[in-house]
Amino acid sequence: MVEKQNRNIEEATERVKARLPLEKLRLISKYKDLSAEDYEQLIKDAETIALLILKALFLKK
């Protein structure tokens, strides 16, 4: 079960990276100097926030 969830999270992360690659993100003035490492950290942080929100929603029900 956990392995399936991890695979789903990885697939979702890859879809986000495909929709918003580093080059496209650099077109936004706030992120024009973003390095590849910073991009990876930004994606990971966004993933963490999304998972925390989902967890809060499911625990509430």
Side-chain angles (χ1 to χ4, degrees), residues 5-54:
Q5 288 176 343
N6 287 341
R7 189 175 69 238
N8 289 340
I9 292 169
E10 290 172 10
E11 289 173 1
T13 301
E14 290 304 314
R15 287 192 305 267
V16 168
K17 288 181 179 181
R19 290 182 183 168
L20 190 61
L22 177 58
E23 296 77 26
K24 191 172 183 181
L25 192 60
R26 283 182 176 159
L27 296 176
I28 301 170
S29 61
K30 181 178 179 179
Y31 300 110
K32 67 179 179 179
D33 296 328
L34 195 66
S35 69
E37 295 82 23
D38 292 338
Y39 172 74
E40 291 296 327
Q41 187 61 47
L42 182 65
I43 296 294
K44 179 141 180 72
D45 291 347
E47 177 183 299
T48 301
I49 290 169
L51 290 172
L52 288 171
I53 291 170
L54 287 172

